[in-house]
Each structure stands twice: as C-alpha cells, then as structure tokens.
C-alpha cells in the first residue's frame, strides 16, 4: 500500500481546508452559507463512503476506522443543526454564546484531527512493520 501517496493527499486536503478558512474570514454570510453547504455535502459523501466501507469490512480492523469516520460525520450533522438554529436567533447575547460554542467545537475538531493523524501514523508504522515481518517470514520459509 502506498502510504506516502495517501499522506500526500491528506496534506493537500489540509492545505485546501486552510485556504478555505482563510478566504471565509472575509466573506459575507451568504458566501459562508454556500461554503458550509458545500462542506456538508462533502461530509455526507464521506459518510456514505464510510458506511459502505464499514459494511464491506465488517469483521476487520478497517471497520473501526470507518465507524469512527461515520461518528465524526454525525457530529458534523449536529454542527449543521446548530448553524441552522443560530440563523433563527435574534438576541445578541445568545448569538455571542453560540459563536463561542462554535469556536470551541472548531478547536475540538482540530484537536481531534491531530489525534486522528497521530493514530494514522501509528497504524501506518504498524502496517509497515507487519508487512516487513510477513515478508521476512516468507523469505525464510522459501529458503
């Protein structure tokens, strides 16, 4: 498996997310809503993919990661619901509290992404070690 290529793709995704966040900081609420809708669509596609992967790999370790991805997507649905609720709010104090909670959620999501990356690194190293060990055994058995 080409882990380097997959990490390159992840790095590209992080760069795209960073660029989107930087651009969003100067956009109108209508433009932000469009970005949010697009991000929600991306997440929904990811959920469908994760659910398919979980069904396909129900008895393997991969299903755990697919389930984690699906659980994270559920969290994104909660965020979308909060956004919709916020749009209905008129009180400035309530809106300020909602903004603080949204910022805490965003910080938590970034922390979770870092944790997931650490786990991905460990899983990749474990996979490389397992493959090296298996290849070594196969070579010894063939000798």
């Amino acid at each position: 498996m080409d882990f380097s290529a997959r990490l390159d793709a992840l790095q590209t995704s992080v760069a795209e997310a960073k660029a989107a966040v930087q651009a969003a900081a100067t956009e109108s609420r209508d433009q932000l809503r469009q970005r949010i809708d697009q991000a929600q669509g991306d997440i929904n596609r990811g959920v469908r993919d994760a659910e398919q992967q979980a069904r396909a790999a129900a008895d393997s370790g991969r299903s755990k990661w697919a389930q984690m991805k699906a659980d994270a997507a559920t969290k994104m649905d909660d965020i979308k619901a909060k956004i919709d609720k916020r749009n209905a709010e008129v009180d400035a104090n309530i809106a300020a509290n909602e903004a603080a909670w949204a910022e805490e959620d965003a910080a938590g999501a970034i922390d979770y992404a870092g944790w997931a990356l650490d786990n991905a690194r460990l899983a990749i190293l474990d996979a490389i070690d397992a493959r090296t060990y298996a290849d070594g055994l196969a070579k010894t058995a063939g000798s």
Side-chain angles (χ1 to χ4, degrees):
M1 181 167 286
D2 189 355
F3 294 116
S4 291
R6 294 186 71 172
L7 288 170
D8 287 343
L10 180 60
Q11 186 173 15
T12 298
S13 293
V14 170
E16 290 170 356
K18 183 178 179 182
V21 167
Q22 289 172 332
T26 62
E27 292 177 341
S28 69
R29 286 206 71 211
D30 287 338
Q31 291 169 313
L32 286 170
R33 290 295 303 172
Q34 289 176 346
R35 279 192 189 273
I36 290 167
D37 289 343
Q38 179 182 357
Q40 185 65 48
D42 293 344
I43 288 168
N44 290 343
R45 280 186 293 282
V47 168
R48 286 191 299 274
D49 292 345
E51 288 170 347
Q52 288 174 350
Q53 290 173 0
R55 283 191 297 274
D59 294 327
S60 73
R62 281 186 63 180
S63 65
K64 293 176 188 174
W65 294 108
Q67 184 60 49
M68 287 177 63
K69 189 175 178 182
D71 292 344
T74 300
K75 175 64 177 163
M76 293 302 104
D77 287 341
D78 292 343
I79 291 171
K80 176 80 167 162
K82 286 178 186 178
I83 290 168
D84 292 340
K85 179 183 171 196
R86 182 179 325 119
N87 288 333
E89 299 291 342
V90 293
D91 184 82
N93 289 332
I94 292 173
N97 287 337
E98 288 283 328
W101 292 330
E103 290 165 348
E104 288 177 25
D105 278 349
I110 291 169
D111 291 344
Y112 180 79
W115 174 85
L117 182 58
D118 289 342
N119 279 275
R121 178 178 41 152
L122 178 60
I124 290 167
L125 293 172
D126 180 53
I128 291 169
D129 178 60
R131 175 57 55 201
T132 302
Y133 180 69
D135 290 349
L137 287 177
K139 187 182 281 187
T140 302
S143 296

